[in-house]
């Protein structure tokens, strides 16, 4: 079993829809939770960062972390065609392993006009 | 800043040949990471360095893979001999020390697309 599980999709939604992306994990040591976005033939870029449990909002994007359930989510409101990309969740434990991230497999999202 | 620079961008080689991938991290970044990405396995961490010292190489698939970081501005990932199953996109990324910038924000290069025939 992988430390981080993410449904690879693909996910196809109409413009304006609310998108929900999710990951589950098994390592209780994870404290840092991130979402990276990767456009086709590009490297991933950090989209959202959350430390420990709770919600974080940035424009149309909301990240949620539920450490008790070992479950994280990314919500995209009013989705746009420019949001079409692969979304990867990533997690880090901190401490002596600071720097090391474990990524989910990524969910391919297409937003069609 | 030019960002993380990787070369070559594309590499096609025959099975058994040696392949060397190169990376120049962002100036001032102390961490450097090598990843491999495939459709089947996603993005996998191979090895990472802190201040040019390898910290964790547990993701290196086998002895055919080796990585070096001779100085703060250059790193190589070598595969010798290469096999068709090594075909993937290899990414290099760099980041700052704890307490600087957003924790765990890694800056990725454009990747090297490797095809081994």
């Amino acid at each position: 079993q992988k430390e981080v599980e993410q449904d690879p999709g693909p996910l196809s939604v109409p413009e304006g829809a609310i998108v929900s992306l999710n990951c589950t994990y098994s390592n209780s040591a994870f404290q840092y939770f991130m979402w990276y976005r990767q456009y086709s033939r590009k490297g991933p870029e950090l989209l959202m960062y959350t430390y420990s449990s709770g919600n974080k909002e940035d424009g149309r994007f909301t990240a949620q972390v539920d450490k008790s359930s070992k479950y994280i989510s990314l919500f995209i409101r009013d989705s746009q065609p420019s949001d079409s990309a692969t979304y990867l969740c990533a997690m880090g434990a901190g401490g002596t392993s600071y720097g090391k991230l474990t990524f989910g497999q990524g969910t391919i999202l297409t937003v069609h006009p | 800043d030019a960002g993380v620079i990787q070369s070559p961008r594309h590499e096609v080689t025959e099975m058994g040949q040696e392949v060397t991938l190169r990376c120049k991290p962002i100036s001032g970044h102390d961490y450097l990471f090598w990843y491999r990405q495939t459709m089947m396995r996603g993005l996998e961490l191979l090895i990472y360095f802190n201040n040019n010292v390898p910290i964790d190489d547990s993701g290196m698939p086998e002895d055919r893979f080796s990585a070096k970081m001779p100085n703060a501005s250059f790193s190589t990932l070598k595969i010798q001999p290469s096999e068709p199953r090594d075909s993937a996109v290899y990414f290099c990324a760099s980041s700052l020390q704890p307490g600087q910038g957003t924790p765990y924000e890694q800056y990725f290069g454009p990747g090297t697309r490797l095809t081994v025939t």
Side-chain angles (χ1 to χ4, degrees):
Chain A
Q1 184 185 3
K2 292 183 178 180
E3 276 190 301
V4 179
E5 297 280 356
Q6 182 177 9
D7 185 344
L11 188 61
S12 181
V13 301
E15 183 175 355
I18 296 174
V19 176
S20 173
L21 305 170
N22 311 291
C23 289
T24 59
Y25 63 96
S26 58
N27 187 346
S28 299
F30 287 145
Q31 302 179 63
Y32 300 85
F33 303 91
M34 283 132 284
W35 288 93
Y36 278 76
R37 179 172 61 192
Q38 184 178 19
Y39 290 114
S40 180
R41 296 188 175 268
K42 301 285 188 183
E45 293 178 309
L46 182 65
L47 180 63
M48 296 285 286
Y49 158 78
T50 309
Y51 174 72
S52 195
S53 285
N55 295 358
K56 185 171 185 178
E57 187 173 321
D58 184 1
R60 298 184 294 109
F61 298 89
T62 300
Q64 290 185 350
V65 175
D66 182 350
K67 290 186 70 179
S68 63
S69 301
K70 294 188 177 67
Y71 187 86
I72 73 170
S73 301
L74 176 71
F75 297 95
I76 307 174
R77 292 183 300 279
D78 186 26
S79 57
Q80 302 296 310
S82 58
D83 296 328
S84 298
T86 298
Y87 290 81
L88 302 106
C89 62
M91 306 177 190
T96 56
S97 65
Y98 182 87
K100 180 177 181 178
L101 282 175
T102 302
F103 282 84
Q105 191 166 355
T107 300
I108 300 171
L109 171 68
T110 301
V111 181
H112 51 86
Chain B
D1 199 314
V4 175
I5 298 172
Q6 290 187 248
S7 64
R9 294 292 307 275
H10 301 272
E11 177 80 34
V12 180
T13 190
E14 292 183 348
M15 182 175 61
Q17 296 298 306
E18 177 180 295
V19 175
T20 300
L21 311 181
R22 297 172 176 80
C23 175
K24 177 179 170 56
I26 293 173
S27 177
H29 282 194
D30 300 297
Y31 284 88
L32 183 138
F33 307 85
W34 282 102
Y35 291 91
R36 177 173 67 177
Q37 187 175 42
T38 61
M39 288 295 293
M40 288 295 295
R41 301 175 67 91
L43 190 65
E44 301 174 286
L45 176 66
L46 300 177
I47 184 171
Y48 76 100
F49 297 82
N50 183 16
N51 291 322
N52 313 337
V53 177
I55 302 301
D56 186 340
D57 65 354
S58 59
M60 297 286 262
E62 47 199 277
D63 292 345
R64 298 184 298 107
F65 286 69
S66 62
K68 294 182 179 179
M69 191 165 187
N71 57 62
S73 59
F74 183 67
S75 178
T76 60
L77 178 68
K78 186 175 294 186
I79 308 172
Q80 166 63 20
S82 58
E83 297 183 3
R85 60 192 167 122
D86 301 330
S87 297
V89 180
Y90 290 80
F91 287 102
C92 176
S94 67
S95 70
L96 293 163
Q97 287 284 3
Q100 298 178 325
T102 300
Y104 282 97
E105 180 167 16
Q106 296 183 11
Y107 295 79
F108 283 76
T112 295
R113 187 170 297 271
L114 174 65
T115 302
V116 183
T117 61

